[in-house]
Structure formats: structure tokens, C-alpha cells
């Protein structure tokens, strides 16, 4: 799977990348109640411009991305000095208040997450095969303190219309099942089905409950 993502980035097959800030982030983030200054974890971040929006809204950002290529593109397309350092297995690239960690999200350890108080997942959960999604939800819970807020943008399809991914179809019931053990889960909205793919986005607010189960 890792090889497949690296190939996609090398070959420029990144149809998931949006050239603009996601409207659901702009619409819903302000209502979550995340205090300015809170560091936001963005798992499987790609080179999402949503990270710049969060940074502009007073949130230091910590993105984690497997493909170093994505991180290089992000900083090349941005402005400002870039500093680089190493933290364990991760090569880190910082531009302004966005730091991007190159490596596997599942290797990111809770000790490295000390200052994180919120998260933003757009197209992270839906990038993972079914068997890995449970691990993702648990790993995310481990990294966050109780009370941490998050916004999740998932994708689903009409029943019977599921195809293999990524992107994977993650039905609303699965989002609830995956996160309910450790998060309070609130459905915020559904997008319109896309004409070509039949996918529709669903947007969720999550609050980390404690202790871990
Ligand atoms: C569907 S894309 C979404 C990227 C970004 N969230 C966005 O909205 O544009 C999924 C990204 O996750 C990265 N990825 C996949 N598995 C990963 C892992 N285990 N750790 C870190 N990044 C991963 C891929 O390289 C890819 O850039």
C-alpha cells in the first residue's frame, strides 16, 4: 500500500488534492470550539491547502504524510523559509506554523503528540483499507487527550454501488462504529453525490472521550 501511494505522488496521480480550501472546513471548524493556538494534527495530510487555512486561523499544524514528494511540493508551492530537522524516524519540514512529518502515521508515537489538542481528517480514513481503519481510529484516540475536538470528512456511496478503493466507501454506520468507543460522534452534514463517481461526502464532529477503550 505504501508503495502505491509513493508511486501516485511520483507520477502525479493525485486527483484527491483540492486546489482550494475545503468549504466544509471553513463552514464547520469555527463552530467546534477549538481554542486559538491549539495545535492541530492532520493525519495523511498530502499537500492539503486546508493546513494553510488552519495555520491562518491561529492553529499550529502538524501534518503526517508518507510521501516526502508531497511535503516537498507543499513547501515549494508556499512562501516562507523552510527549516528541516529529524525526530526519530521522521524527517520534519517546517514552513511558518506548519510542520510536516514525513513517515508512516502508525509510527507516530503518543510522546511525540504532547502538544496536540485537535485533529482534522479529510480523505485520511477513506484512504485506508477496511482492516486498517479500526487501527487508525484507535491510534488517533491514543494521540489525543480527552476533550480534543476533530473534524472528519468521509466518503460514502449508495448501497450496492461500492467499488474497491482508494478512495474507499466508508458508510455512516462504519464511521460511528469506528469512533464511538473513544469519541463522541456528531453527524454535521452530507454533500451532494458526485455525478461521475457517485461518492458523497459526509462531515462529522468528534470529541475524544476518556479513558481509552
Ligand atoms: C487520499 S490522500 C488525502 C490527502 C489529504 N488529506 C488531502 O485532503 O488532500 C491520502 C494521503 O495519505 C498518504 N498516506 C497513506 N498512507 C499513509 C500512512 N500510513 N501514513 C502517512 N501518510 C499516508 C498518501 O500518501 C496520501 O497523500
Amino acid at each position: 500500500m505504501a508503495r502505491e501511494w509513493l508511486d501516485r505522488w511520483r507520477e502525479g496521480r493525485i486527483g484527491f488534492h483540492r486546489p482550494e480550501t475545503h468549504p466544509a472546513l471553513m463552514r464547520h471548524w469555527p463552530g467546534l470550539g477549538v481554542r486559538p493556538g491549539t495545535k492541530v494534527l492532520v493525519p495523511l495530510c498530502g499537500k492539503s491547502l486546508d493546513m494553510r487555512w488552519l495555520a491562518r486561523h491561529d492553529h499550529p499544524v502538524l501534518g503526517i504524510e508518507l510521501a516526502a514528494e508531497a511535503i516537498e511540493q507543499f513547501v515549494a508551492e508556499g512562501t516562507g523559509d523552510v527549516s528541516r530537522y529529524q525526530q526519530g524516524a521522521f524527517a520534519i519540514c517546517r514552513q511558518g506554523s506548519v510542520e510536516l512529518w514525513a513517515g508512516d502515521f502508525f509510527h507516530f508515537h503518543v510522546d511525540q503528540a504532547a502538544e496536540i489538542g485537535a485533529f482534522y481528517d479529510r480523505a485520511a480514513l477513506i484512504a485506508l483499507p477496511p482492516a486498517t481503519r479500526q487501527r487508525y481510529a484507535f491510534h488517533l484516540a491514543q494521540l489525543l487527550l480527552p476533550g480534543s475536538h476533530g473534524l472528519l470528512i468521509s466518503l460514502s456511496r449508495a448501497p450496492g454501488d461500492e467499488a474497491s478503493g482508494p478512495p474507499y466507501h466508508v458508510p455512516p454506520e462504519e464511521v460511528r462504529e469506528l469512533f464511538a468507543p473513544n469519541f463522541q460522534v456528531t453527524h454535521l452534514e452530507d454533500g451532494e453525490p458526485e455525478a461521475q463517481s457517485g461518492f458523497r461526502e459526509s462531515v462529522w464532529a468528534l470529541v475524544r472521550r476518556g479513558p481509552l477503550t
Side-chain angles (χ1 to χ4, degrees):
M1 200 66 209
R3 166 72 29 219
E4 209 174 291
W5 284 111
L6 299 180
D7 288 349
R8 276 185 183 229
W9 277 101
R10 209 187 45 252
E11 294 159 14
R13 289 184 289 117
I14 54 164
F16 52 80
H17 177 71
R18 294 176 56 93
E20 284 158 6
T21 309
H22 199 295
L25 172 65
M26 297 191 277
R27 208 161 36 243
H28 293 293
W29 188 268
L32 295 183
V34 184
R35 282 207 209 100
T38 304
K39 190 183 264 195
V40 180
L41 173 68
V42 184
L44 287 67
C45 63
K47 58 169 183 171
S48 171
L49 296 176
D50 298 345
M51 295 191 282
R52 295 202 199 283
W53 187 91
L54 287 165
R56 281 200 304 278
H57 287 77
D58 290 330
H59 293 295
V61 170
L62 192 162
I64 305 181
E65 170 54 52
L66 206 52
E69 175 77 44
I71 294 175
E72 291 310 323
Q73 289 184 23
F74 180 88
V75 296
E77 290 164 14
T79 52
D81 293 342
V82 176
S83 52
R84 295 170 192 273
Y85 44 102
Q86 193 77 25
Q87 174 80 249
F90 291 90
I92 303 168
C93 208
R94 165 185 277 279
Q95 188 174 47
S97 53
V98 178
E99 55 185 273
L100 299 175
W101 293 43
D104 188 337
F105 172 64
F106 295 101
H107 295 168
F108 184 70
H109 194 263
V110 64
D111 295 344
Q112 298 168 308
E115 294 159 35
I116 292 169
F119 75 95
Y120 174 61
D121 167 340
R122 183 262 163 183
L125 178 69
I126 61 100
L128 299 169
T132 314
R133 282 180 219 138
Q134 204 154 16
R135 193 171 157 222
Y136 172 83
F138 186 73
H139 190 59
L140 193 57
Q142 273 185 319
L143 298 173
L144 299 163
L145 289 172
S148 301
H149 291 263
L151 188 70
L152 172 84
I153 305 178
S154 180
L155 280 181
S156 64
R157 270 185 170 174
D161 201 13
E162 304 92 352
S164 60
Y168 292 96
H169 153 91
V170 183
E173 315 80 66
E174 186 181 333
V175 174
R176 287 188 193 282
E177 259 168 46
L178 284 170
F179 290 99
N182 291 305
F183 293 87
Q184 180 191 312
V185 182
T186 308
H187 179 235
L188 296 175
E189 68 173 29
D190 284 324
E192 291 301 315
E194 258 181 44
Q196 269 187 338
S197 65
F199 275 116
R200 83 191 315 198
E201 287 183 326
S202 61
V203 185
W204 304 78
L206 280 76
V207 184
R208 167 80 163 81
R209 293 194 270 107
L212 271 181
T213 59

